[in-house]
C-alpha cells in the first residue's frame, strides 16, 4: 500500500513538473499546448475511491492553475475528467471485468483498450477545457479544431511516455500464456 502511494506521488510530482516547467511553455502560436498532467488521473489505481479521485483531480487541476494563472479552468476540467473516469471504465470494461489491483497500461489491458480509455477521457477533458476557456459560441469551429488538435497531440505524448517510461513486462511474463 505504501509503495503504491509513493509511486503515485512520484508520478504526480513528475507530471506536474513536466507540465509546469516544460509543456506550459510549448506553444505553437498560442494554438497547441499539450496537457500531460491528466495522465496522473488516468493512471490512478482501480481501487481508488471515487471521492478520492475527484479530490485528486481537483487538486491537480488547481495546482496547474496556480502555475499557469488560468483561474480554475484546469481545476474544472480535471474534476470533470475525474468524474467521468468511472463511467468510462464501466463503458469499456473487459468482458470479465477488471481484476483487483489492475494497472491501466497497454501491457496489462491491451493497446485497443488503453487507446479507447485515453482517447475518450482526453477528448472530454480538452473539449471542456477549451470551450470553458473561450466561453462563447462565436468561435465554435475554431475551438473545436483547437481542442481536437490538442487532444491528438496529448494522446501521442501520453503513448510515447507510457512506452518509454512504463514498466515493461519481464521476459518470463511476456511470453507466458
Amino acid at each position: 500500500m505504501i509503495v503504491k502511494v509513493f509511486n503515485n506521488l512520484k508520478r504526480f510530482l513528475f507530471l506536474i513538473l513536466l507540465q509546469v516547467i516544460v509543456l506550459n511553455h510549448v506553444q505553437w502560436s498560442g494554438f497547441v499546448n499539450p496537457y500531460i498532467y491528466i495522465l496522473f488521473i488516468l493512471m490512478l489505481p482501480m481501487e481508488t475511491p471515487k471521492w478520492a479521485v475527484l479530490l485528486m483531480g481537483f487538486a491537480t487541476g488547481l495546482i496547474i492553475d496556480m502555475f499557469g494563472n488560468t483561474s480554475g479552468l484546469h481545476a474544472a476540467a480535471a474534476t470533470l475528467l475525474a468524474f467521468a473516469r468511472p463511467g468510462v471504465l464501466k463503458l469499456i470494461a473487459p468482458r470479465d471485468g477488471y481484476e483487483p489491483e489492475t494497472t491501466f497500461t497497454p501491457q496489462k489491458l491491451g493497446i485497443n483498450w488503453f487507446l479507447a480509455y485515453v482517447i475518450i477521457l482526453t477528448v472530454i477533458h480538452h473539449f471542456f477545457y477549451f470551450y470553458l476557456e473561450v466561453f462563447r459560441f462565436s468561435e465554435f469551429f475554431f475551438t473545436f479544431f483547437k481542442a481536437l488538435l490538442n487532444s491528438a497531440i496529448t494522446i501521442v505524448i501520453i503513448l510515447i511516455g507510457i512506452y518509454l517510461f512504463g514498466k515493461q513486462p519481464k521476459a518470463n511474463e511476456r511470453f507466458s500464456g
Side-chain angles (χ1 to χ4, degrees), residues 132-151:
L132 191 61
E133 180 183 46
V134 171
F135 208 68
R136 64 181 167 269
F137 287 114
S138 62
E139 298 179 27
F140 181 83
F141 293 107
F142 176 77
T143 305
F144 184 87
F145 180 70
K146 185 176 178 180
L148 205 57
L149 181 64
N150 279 284
S151 294

Side-chain angles (χ1 to χ4, degrees), residues 33-142:
N33 189 359
Y35 295 120
I36 192 77
Y37 75 91
I38 65 172
L39 185 59
F40 170 70
I41 301 162
L42 297 176
M43 299 298 289
L44 285 171
M46 181 74 178
E47 300 80 30
T48 309
K50 291 176 185 176
W51 65 267
V53 174
L54 282 171
L55 191 62
M56 286 187 262
F58 176 74
T60 303
L62 195 61
I63 290 169
I64 297 297
D65 283 330
M66 288 189 313
F67 285 104
N69 198 23
T70 49
S71 305
L73 293 174
H74 287 286
T79 304
L80 177 67
L81 172 69
F83 180 77
R85 181 179 178 253
V88 171
L89 285 172
K90 200 178 295 181
L91 177 71
I92 62 172
R95 188 176 319 169
D96 301 330
Y98 299 104
E99 294 178 15
E101 311 270 330
T102 299
T103 56
F104 299 127
T105 62
Q107 294 87 357
K108 292 285 184 184
L109 293 166
I111 188 65
N112 290 338
W113 181 93
F114 188 76
L115 273 175
Y117 176 64
V118 170
I119 289 170
I120 292 169
L121 287 173
T122 302
V123 166
I124 288 171
H125 173 272
H126 281 53
F127 273 79
F128 185 77
Y129 174 82
F130 285 109
Y131 277 109
L132 191 61
E133 180 183 46
V134 171
F135 208 68
R136 64 181 167 269
F137 287 114
S138 62
E139 298 179 27
F140 181 83
F141 293 107
F142 176 77

Side-chain angles (χ1 to χ4, degrees), residues 4-21:
K4 282 185 181 181
V5 171
F6 183 68
N7 286 340
N8 282 318
L9 184 61
K10 281 192 320 188
R11 182 181 303 125
F12 174 77
L13 291 173
F14 173 75
L15 290 171
I16 293 294
L17 289 174
L18 179 66
Q19 184 68 50
V20 169
I21 294 171

